[in-house]
Amino acid sequence: MNSGFFTLPQEKQQAVINAGFKIFALYPYNKAPMSEIAGAAGISKSLLFYHFKNKKELYIFLWQKSVELIRRALQEQGVLETDDYFEMLRRSLRGKCRLMKSYPYASEFSMRAYFEGEGEFSEDIRHSFFKLEADSWNKVWQRIDKSKLRDDIDPLLMYREMVWASDGFMHQMVNSRNMEFDRIEKEFEKLIDMWEKVYQKAGV
C-alpha cells in the first residue's frame, strides 16, 4: 500500500477503513465492489487505487487493522488485568461495544474474513485467526483463577462456546442494523451473568 495513506487526516483514514469493513462485511470478497468502498468513504475510486493498488491489498490491510483495533480495545479495558474469568468477559464486552461505536463493522468483517471461502489468501487468514485464538486462550488460561470454575467442565470448550456465542450475538445485531450499543451491552451482560451461574462454583 501507499504510505501516503497514513498522511491523510485521521477522519479520512477512518472513513476509508469503515467503508472497507462495511462493504467486505456485506459482500463476499469477489463480489465486493471497490467503487462502493470508495463511494462510502467519500473519495474517488482512482484515489482509493492510489493508496491500495488492488482489492487484495486493501483486504489484507483491513484484516490486519481489525486485529489491531480489537486487540487495542481489549487492552484499554484491562481484560487481562483481572483473574476473574467472568469479569474478563465483561471487560471484553465493554471494549468491543466501544470499538463498534467508531468502527461498527470491524467485528463483522473479521468474522466474514475468517469464513470467506474465496481468495488465495483465505487460508492465511484462517491460520492467522487460529494463532490469535490460541494465543488469547493461553493468556487467559495462565491468568484466571481456575479454582472458581466447576471441576466437571472442560474450560477450553467453555471458552470456545462463549467466543462463538459472542460472535453470533454481534453478527445478529449488525445484520439487524441494531446499533444501540448501550442496549447491546446490557443484553449481553445478561448472558455473561447466566454463564457465571452455570460455570462457576456455587458460593464463590
Side-chain angles (χ1 to χ4, degrees):
M1 65 175 290
N2 190 321
S3 60
F5 177 75
F6 297 108
T7 67
L8 294 174
Q10 191 62 39
E11 61 270 20
K12 183 57 68 176
Q13 290 184 45
Q14 184 170 333
V16 172
I17 291 167
N18 267 329
F21 283 158
K22 180 178 181 179
I23 301 305
F24 282 125
L26 296 177
Y27 295 93
Y29 171 79
N30 284 345
K31 295 183 179 179
M34 290 288 276
S35 57
E36 282 201 34
I37 295 173
I43 62 174
S44 67
K45 186 177 176 180
S46 60
L47 183 57
L48 183 61
F49 276 115
Y50 172 76
H51 291 299
F52 301 93
K53 64 182 180 182
N54 53 41
K55 187 194 291 191
K56 176 182 176 181
E57 188 173 82
L58 174 59
Y59 195 82
I60 292 174
F61 166 76
L62 291 171
W63 166 256
Q64 294 169 342
K65 189 67 178 179
S66 70
V67 171
E68 173 195 332
L69 288 169
I70 293 169
R71 180 184 289 126
R72 187 189 309 159
L74 300 185
Q75 287 176 342
E76 288 174 354
Q77 293 299 317
V79 170
L80 292 176
E81 294 174 14
T82 176
D83 64 1
D84 185 314
Y85 181 64
F86 299 98
E87 176 59 21
M88 283 185 185
L89 289 178
R90 293 184 179 95
R91 294 182 186 188
S92 176
L93 171 64
R94 288 195 291 270
K96 288 182 178 180
C97 283
R98 280 154 183 73
L99 173 63
M100 287 176 72
K101 290 179 181 179
S102 299
Y103 297 93
Y105 288 88
S107 294
E108 183 70 6
F109 163 79
S110 64
M111 279 190 284
R112 179 179 274 277
Y114 168 70
F115 288 109
E116 183 70 66
E118 301 176 89
E120 67 274 22
F121 48 86
S122 58
E123 284 303 318
D124 292 336
I125 287 179
R126 287 195 190 96
H127 177 75
S128 171
F129 185 92
F130 281 130
K131 185 178 184 303
L132 289 168
E133 183 183 44
D135 289 346
S136 176
W137 167 245
N138 288 333
K139 289 176 182 177
V140 168
W141 182 249
Q142 291 170 14
R143 182 64 180 143
I144 61 174
D145 181 356
K146 293 174 276 292
S147 68
K148 293 181 179 180
L149 300 176
R150 283 172 40 191
D151 298 324
D152 60 342
I153 63 166
D154 180 335
L156 180 56
L157 189 59
M158 175 194 73
Y159 172 78
R160 286 177 173 166
E161 175 199 342
M162 294 175 182
V163 169
W164 295 334
S166 301
D167 289 345
F169 181 83
M170 292 301 182
H171 175 73
Q172 183 180 18
M173 292 299 102
V174 171
N175 277 0
S176 68
R177 304 296 187 267
N178 183 348
M179 298 301 182
E180 298 176 31
F181 300 108
D182 291 337
R183 193 175 78 81
I184 290 172
E185 189 171 336
K186 289 178 182 177
E187 287 295 317
F188 202 80
E189 182 89 32
K190 295 176 184 176
L191 189 53
I192 296 174
D193 291 341
M194 184 192 73
W195 282 332
E196 190 170 26
K197 292 175 183 176
V198 170
Y199 290 113
Q200 189 163 268
K201 291 177 181 175
V204 173

